[in-house]
Amino acid sequence: ETGVTQTPRHLVMGMTNKKSLKCEQHLGHNAMYWYKQSAKKPLELMFVYNFKEQTENNSVPSRFSPECPNSSHLFLHLHTLQPEDSALYLCASSQETGGVSYGYTFGSGTRLTVV
Amino acid sequence: AQKITQTQPGMFVQEKEAVTLDCTYDTSDPSYGLFWYKQPSSGEMIFLIYQGSYDQQNATEGRYSLNFQKARKSANLVISASQLGDSAMYFCAMREMNSNSGYALNFGKGTSLLVTP
């Protein structure tokens, strides 16, 4: 366990379904992130939250909706997804104190398949 | 534009040998950090080593060392005495301190390392 827990580990959903991914960190970090990892492509940053406030939305389609109710929890709500959204979704957290962060802590990811 | 370039899609190394994974980066920010992560087949991204742009010495963490050549903008990872458990994807990443991307990391496409007996 890294201190960042993602559930579920695997998810298969139809294009008309609504589902949510959950991320929880017990490290006392103040920043949390969603990344998307598709085959043969670099990790793509989706959303950044700092002290529960969204500080970045990296041109992500509105069918992905993030929620950060507190600094320990991060959700990614999914609706009417497309097959090309199938990927590994990684959550990460870090402690940002104005200096350089010595590494982000990632969860194990949710493997999403859209059918 | 690609900020992190990893030119080796796949590498093989024999057990107990050393291997170097290449990484070059592109930035005009004088303050940045470079990271290497390992991703086994389970999917988890495991932090290996960090190098700050103002660090005078190359970073080392156990069997991992970072060959930091600032003028050439390269940050190669060296794994000494490879073990079978080192087989995984390896990602180089950079964070620019003065970027409008905030705290985000930019990742390369990764190098797949296979350690053979």
Side-chain angles (χ1 to χ4, degrees):
Chain A
E1 285 296 327
T2 65
V4 178
T5 303
Q6 287 187 245
T7 54
R9 291 296 307 274
H10 300 274
L11 178 62
V12 179
M13 60 184 288
M15 289 190 284
T16 58
N17 290 159
K18 287 185 179 182
K19 296 285 184 183
S20 295
L21 310 185
K22 180 182 176 182
C23 177
E24 187 173 355
Q25 58 100 358
H26 304 284
L27 302 167
H29 289 170
N30 57 13
M32 297 186 76
Y33 315 80
W34 281 116
Y35 279 86
K36 175 184 178 183
Q37 186 177 26
S38 305
K40 310 290 186 189
K41 294 173 75 174
L43 271 77
E44 302 170 61
L45 177 67
M46 300 177 73
F47 301 104
V48 180
Y49 277 83
N50 185 31
F51 289 106
K52 304 185 300 177
E53 298 296 321
Q54 187 181 131
T55 56
E56 185 151 348
N57 173 343
N58 217 24
S59 303
V60 180
S62 60
R63 57 186 184 270
F64 296 92
S65 174
E67 179 189 0
C68 188
N70 54 62
S71 56
S72 299
H73 293 86
L74 185 64
F75 295 89
L76 188 63
H77 303 299
L78 317 170
H79 63 98
T80 58
L81 294 192
Q82 305 297 312
E84 59 265 28
D85 296 323
S86 299
L88 180 68
Y89 288 85
L90 288 161
C91 174
S93 70
S94 67
Q95 181 62 27
E96 302 301 322
T97 57
V100 180
S101 175
Y102 286 80
Y104 297 10
T105 303
F106 282 85
S108 298
T110 295
R111 176 74 62 186
L112 174 67
T113 304
V114 181
V115 297
Chain B
Q2 187 76 10
K3 288 183 178 282
I4 296 287
T5 302
Q6 294 180 254
T7 57
Q8 307 151 313
M11 291 278 287
F12 291 89
V13 65
Q14 202 158 20
E15 200 176 4
K16 300 178 186 175
E17 297 291 313
V19 63
T20 298
L21 306 183
D22 294 342
C23 173
T24 57
Y25 58 92
D26 181 27
T27 182
S28 56
D29 190 337
S31 181
Y32 54 89
L34 296 158
F35 303 78
W36 277 93
Y37 283 86
K38 171 184 178 182
Q39 187 179 41
S41 56
S42 59
E44 179 185 338
M45 296 285 280
I46 303 167
F47 168 70
L48 296 178
I49 196 167
Y50 164 82
Q51 180 87 41
S53 59
Y54 296 116
D55 293 343
Q56 295 295 313
Q57 302 207 337
N58 287 344
T60 59
E61 288 287 347
R63 294 186 298 111
Y64 304 108
S65 60
L66 202 152
N67 184 1
F68 181 45
Q69 298 188 43
K70 194 170 181 177
R72 297 179 59 187
K73 293 188 176 178
S74 78
N76 298 340
L77 177 70
V78 180
I79 305 174
S80 62
S82 298
Q83 301 172 356
L84 296 178
D86 293 334
S87 295
M89 283 292 292
Y90 287 81
F91 292 93
C92 180
M94 176 177 66
R95 172 183 158 172
E96 298 165 295
M97 292 307 299
N98 298 306
S99 165
N100 56 11
S101 295
Y103 313 123
L105 286 177
N106 289 293
F107 284 84
K109 291 185 177 181
T111 295
S112 176
L113 176 67
L114 182 62
V115 181
T116 60

